[in-house]
Amino acid sequence: MPTLFRFLFFCAVIAGIVYGIMVALVTFVEPRPRDVTIRIPSERVNTQP
């Protein structure tokens, strides 16, 4: 049974580290807005039945 507790403790520590990294990314990283251009082929726009 002690190995089960050790395993669960290890999983909780890993989950805490991942959660902490996610919180740090949200707090300290600011996204840079930029324009996005998507080219659409004229065949898709000018379809005739």
Side-chain angles (χ1 to χ4, degrees), residues 5 13 21-22 26 30-31 41-42 46 48:
F5 291 128
V13 168
I21 290 172
M22 288 172 52
V26 167
E30 282 293 323
S42 62
N46 297 327
Q48 295 185 8

Side-chain angles (χ1 to χ4, degrees), residues 12-49:
V13 168
I14 296 296
I17 290 171
V18 169
Y19 185 77
I21 290 172
M22 288 172 52
V23 168
L25 282 173
V26 167
T27 304
F28 297 119
V29 176
E30 282 293 323
R32 285 179 266 158
R34 58 184 178 145
D35 293 333
V36 177
T37 303
I38 301 174
R39 294 189 179 269
I40 301 174
S42 62
E43 295 85 26
R44 290 184 61 189
V45 177
N46 297 327
T47 57
Q48 295 185 8

